[in-house]
Amino acid sequence: MPLPKDLEEETRLHFSSSSKTGPRRKHVVGHSRCFDPDEVTLLDGIPVTSPARTWLDLAPVLSLDDLIVAGDFLVCTREDRGFGRPRPPLVSLADLNLYISRKHRIPGLAKARSALPQLRVGVDSPQETRLRLMLQAAHHLPPFRVDYPVSSDDYEFPRWVDLACPEFRTCVEYDGAHHLTPLRQVADKGRDSFMIDCGWNQVKIYARDLDLGAEWVVPQVEAALRRGGWQPPP
């Protein structure tokens, strides 16, 4: 799961046992926990917490946005695109909802329940999640759909866009560093022409845009929506 930098660089092992104090070792953080059978899985023969339980255990130490980023990664599914490798979710959104609904009196549970309705299936990167949450926080904007297929009679296959507002034919794409390769630039050029031919207004957002924040990103999206006929609420 994508995590904040300080947790990504964590060098200590978090180890859980059913003892009252938890294990005490150098470079080990001990936890006293009891798990249901479905909360433990094997990874290379080593028992580890399941994806759902790990996500719940992270809830007390992550911000709400970071928890949503991690959740989007877990439930992401890739199917029926005609290209790329299929990707099953580490845990389906339905199963994660069912799992959380059965939990009681666990640290972070309230935050996990707040994050669940904001998870979306089909998100490719943490930056896409952060971009979606940024636009969502601008409450005057219309809703955007994730991983939306745009089609045209002139093309055999649709193109999936990161965020789409079909009502106003506007899409927002996050282009990370992998878009800078020559092969990807050619593909992106074809995507851009496709969106123009379909009559869609496209906004490209880069890492620097996200660093500049909503004050920089939201007006760009507003301008594209206006070209599609949207009018901001009074």
Side-chain angles (χ1 to χ4, degrees), residues 175-187:
D175 283 1
H178 66 286
H179 285 265
L180 299 179
T181 64
L183 185 62
R184 192 55 191 257
Q185 287 176 338
V186 171

Side-chain angles (χ1 to χ4, degrees), residues 8-22:
E8 289 279 9
E9 297 177 350
E10 170 69 85
T11 58
R12 298 171 300 171
L13 173 68
H14 286 256
F15 192 91
S16 298
S17 78
S18 57
S19 66
K20 291 184 178 180
T21 59

